[in-house]
Amino acid sequence: MKTPDLSDLAVPGAQIAVRVTPKASRNRIERADDVLRVYVTTVPEGGKATVAVVKLLAKALGIPKTRLVLVRGETARDKLFRIDP
């Protein structure tokens, strides 16, 4: 499955809320209305799932991983990211 184009959300200073599902069958992003669901195959141990989410989300947004900053939800399923300029 192709990664969805989320470049319309890639505005500096924007905050993006995502719901993460670790240990999924495959990596993918689903966009329904104002909700982003990110599914990653990695396990939620030691921040591995969060790293996978950042990588997948940055690719879909078309920005470098270093511009995505985790604001809230380091160990939670609901995460909030900010896009730095």
Side-chain angles (χ1 to χ4, degrees):
M1 178 180 226
K2 186 178 161 187
T3 304
D5 180 20
L6 302 176
S7 59
D8 58 310
L9 300 176
V11 178
Q15 293 191 346
I16 301 171
V18 298
R19 174 77 173 184
V20 178
T21 302
K23 298 192 319 187
S25 60
R26 61 188 169 139
N27 290 335
R28 69 183 190 276
I29 297 176
E30 290 181 1
R31 184 179 188 181
D33 299 323
D34 292 336
V35 179
L36 277 181
R37 292 187 175 267
V38 180
Y39 299 86
V40 292
T41 57
T42 55
V43 293
E45 295 174 352
K48 292 178 186 175
T50 301
V51 170
V53 168
V54 168
K55 183 178 178 181
L56 193 62
L57 193 56
K59 182 176 179 181
L61 290 166
I63 62 173
K65 294 181 289 189
T66 56
R67 287 189 52 201
L68 272 179
V69 177
L70 182 63
V71 176
R72 184 177 64 230
E74 185 175 339
T75 59
R77 292 180 63 167
D78 293 314
K79 299 184 184 302
L80 183 66
F81 291 96
R82 182 183 70 239
I83 300 175
D84 278 352

